[in-house]
Amino acid sequence: MDMYASMIRNLKTPQIMERLNYLYGSRDGMMVEQTTRYIGILKRHEELFHAEEEVLLVSAPGRTEIGGNHTDHNKGRVLAAAVNLDTLSAVSRRGDHTVNLYSDGYPALTIDLTDLSVHEEEKGTTAALIRGVAAKMAELGYRIGGFDAVATSSVASGSGLSSSAAFEVMTCAILDALYNDFVIDYKQRAKISQYAENVYFGKPSGLLDQMASSAGGLVTVDFKHEDPEVRRMSFDFAANGYALVVVATGGSHADLTDDYAAIPAEMKRVAALMGEEVLRRIRPEEFHQAIPDLRGKVSDRALLRALHFFDEDDRVVRQVEALDRNDLGAFFWEIICSGRSSYMYLQNVYANPQDESLALALALAERMLVNRGGWRIHGGGFAGTTLNFVPLDDLHHFIEVMEGAFGQRCCHVLDIRPEGAAVIRL
């Protein structure tokens, strides 16, 4: 039996089925969906590359941001989780430094990793992410090399579930597994991935997305110091009667980099006027006292965004404490307050009056979930998605209403994935 046929057969073994169940959850149809997906990507790799060396399956999850909207880039605190939507690749090692990538929905890509310089014309592209990850790994002393890969993703671009972070973390895991025996810890992998996004891709993101994807599970992260403090949590929303539902309203934030970048820039401008690099290094009471002096030196929007930062940073602490004591009422109140702060102070619910789909989704959620659950803006904002905590006995009705407004399959019912970057050997 040839290698590919053997790998496909091994997908059905109890240990691999258990592994997939661990990564993707046990909802109806999930195992059939994932085994079909894995078989498809292996067959595609065989068709394109006919590899003679081992083919690895490498996966990295998307993430949901639960608390800490736009705090990470100013060294704040967050509450986030990896989810059971992922970017998946079938990949084999090459004997040179060429990367060949075939990714569903995108043109085929070839990159020469003997050139690790920043290419301005690549900014905003997949090529920039691959080259950036490889460059940072090489700078840190890790081995890199070429590979042939086929990739597919259930984390849609512009969905607010951080497809770019999932791809970056997966790329780092590929190079780590092929050339370094998979030795890089999750914090370092997240930092490598963020570097690629900031420097090579050109998006000034914080570290939340990459850290959540790389760490896996439900985590609260404090970015105050260079080495972020990560605490793993074990709260099970489903066991407490709630589903996490992300609603995709139809707008993509993939082309809103300037709107996104203005938020950290304005926050840091306020910090700079107070003699610091980021807002986390300033005490909230000092900021409040300085507002009269700051007005006119920065926009009022910048001051409102700074107010959001200080409130949101403290709010994450209260969210974590509420989950620790199993007080969902208090937790949902903090979720709702977070969403209102993003709406009023951070001002990332919509980018223009022609698209107010996020605002509509939040209004519909409030009417269904008031006194029963929670709702808020999700991720970077401006377009994309909302996050909702929906009672399981209301889930069908919630999905029905949202699909009526935003179209079929606009709702993603998420499970928290307990593992970050994963390598499966068949």
Side-chain angles (χ1 to χ4, degrees):
M1 181 178 292
D2 69 35
M3 179 182 68
Y4 287 97
S6 177
M7 292 178 71
I8 290 172
R9 184 183 64 178
N10 288 342
L11 274 171
K12 304 295 180 65
T13 61
Q15 68 186 73
I16 297 300
M17 296 292 281
E18 182 179 348
R19 184 95 168 93
L20 295 181
N21 184 76
Y22 182 71
L23 292 175
Y24 298 101
S26 55
R27 292 184 186 275
D28 290 346
M30 183 63 74
M31 293 307 296
V32 172
E33 176 186 335
Q34 293 305 326
T35 51
T36 300
R37 186 171 174 241
Y38 274 61
I39 289 169
I41 201 171
L42 284 169
K43 286 183 174 179
R44 181 67 169 151
H45 193 281
E46 179 182 26
E47 173 190 328
L48 291 168
F49 300 118
H50 304 286
E52 297 181 0
E53 287 195 22
E54 180 183 26
V55 177
L56 301 180
L57 292 160
V58 183
S59 160
R63 68 92 186 96
T64 180
E65 171 205 276
I66 297 172
N69 193 218
H70 280 282
T71 57
D72 57 330
H73 45 60
N74 268 256
K75 302 290 186 181
R77 288 170 280 217
V78 302
L79 178 63
V83 299
N84 60 335
L85 301 176
D86 70 338
T87 299
L88 172 69
S89 63
V91 59
S92 57
R93 178 172 172 159
R94 292 178 57 90
D96 56 20
H97 276 63
T98 298
V99 171
N100 293 309
L101 173 68
Y102 289 78
S103 186
D104 286 351
Y106 296 91
L109 186 63
T110 297
I111 304 169
D112 179 8
L113 294 184
T114 60
D115 176 7
L116 297 178
S117 62
V118 175
H119 289 217
E120 289 297 323
E121 74 279 5
E122 283 182 353
K123 288 197 170 180
T125 70
T126 300
L129 297 178
I130 296 172
R131 201 183 304 275
V133 166
K136 192 62 176 179
M137 288 181 66
E139 178 187 322
L140 293 170
Y142 296 106
R143 293 185 296 275
I144 63 169
F147 57 84
D148 293 324
V150 176
T152 186
S153 184
S154 53
V155 189
S157 177
S159 68
L161 294 165
S162 201
S163 58
S164 60
F167 185 85
E168 295 150 13
V169 169
M170 182 192 72
T171 301
C172 187
I174 286 171
L175 291 170
D176 189 19
L178 291 178
Y179 294 101
N180 298 278
D181 298 323
F182 208 55
V183 298
I184 300 176
D185 68 70
Y186 72 88
K187 287 185 181 180
Q188 186 71 278
R189 185 177 295 122
K191 292 176 183 178
I192 290 168
S193 300
Q194 182 200 23
Y195 174 86
E197 183 154 321
N198 290 173
V199 178
Y200 281 70
F201 189 83
K203 184 176 180 179
S205 68
L207 193 55
L208 181 156
D209 298 348
Q210 294 83 0
M211 187 64 75
S213 177
S214 188
L218 176 66
V219 294
T220 182
V221 188
D222 188 337
F223 292 106
K224 184 175 183 178
H225 302 295
E226 184 63 27
D227 183 26
E229 179 183 330
V230 181
R231 179 191 156 201
R232 296 184 182 276
M233 302 181 66
S234 58
F235 193 87
D236 189 334
F237 290 99
N240 282 272
Y242 285 86
L244 275 71
V245 184
V246 166
V247 178
T249 63
S252 170
H253 64 211
D255 60 349
L256 292 168
T257 297
D258 290 345
D259 296 278
Y260 178 92
I263 294 176
E266 290 180 9
M267 288 183 180
K268 289 176 180 178
R269 176 61 178 154
V270 172
L273 289 171
M274 297 187 68
E276 295 290 352
E277 184 180 353
V278 292
L279 291 176
R280 182 63 185 282
R281 295 177 182 159
I282 298 167
R283 289 186 291 122
E285 55 270 26
E286 290 178 332
F287 166 71
H288 293 141
Q289 292 171 3
I291 288 175
D293 185 57
L294 291 169
R295 283 205 75 204
K297 296 178 181 176
V298 292
S299 67
D300 286 343
R301 187 178 72 173
L303 296 176
L304 287 166
R305 286 174 164 174
L307 279 168
H308 166 84
F309 172 86
F310 290 114
D311 291 347
E312 186 79 348
D313 192 49
D314 287 341
R315 194 174 289 120
V316 170
V317 176
R318 295 194 295 273
Q319 289 172 343
V320 170
E321 290 173 346
L323 291 181
D324 282 343
R325 65 177 185 269
N326 202 33
D327 186 347
L328 280 176
F331 173 76
F332 291 146
W333 173 248
E334 298 297 343
I335 290 291
I336 294 165
C337 289
S338 171
R340 289 174 177 168
S341 180
S342 293
Y343 207 144
M344 294 186 296
Y345 301 155
L346 191 61
Q347 301 179 36
N348 68 334
V349 167
Y350 46 80
N352 62 73
Q354 283 70 49
D355 181 6
E356 298 188 12
S357 55
L358 280 178
L360 178 59
L362 292 168
L364 293 174
E366 181 173 6
R367 278 149 183 76
M368 288 184 282
L369 300 178
V370 66
N371 298 323
R372 302 207 62 207
W375 60 94
R376 69 189 286 273
I377 192 72
H378 184 253
F382 298 109
T385 58
T386 64
L387 175 65
N388 307 270
F389 294 83
V390 183
L392 292 174
D393 56 3
D394 282 349
L395 183 58
H396 177 77
H397 175 64
F398 182 89
I399 291 173
E400 185 177 57
V401 170
M402 289 301 181
E403 286 188 342
F406 302 107
Q408 294 294 311
R409 294 183 294 278
C410 68
C411 293
H412 302 285
V413 182
L414 303 175
D415 288 317
I416 293 176
R417 168 165 153 162
E419 185 175 344
V423 176
I424 297 176
R425 299 177 185 270
L426 299 174

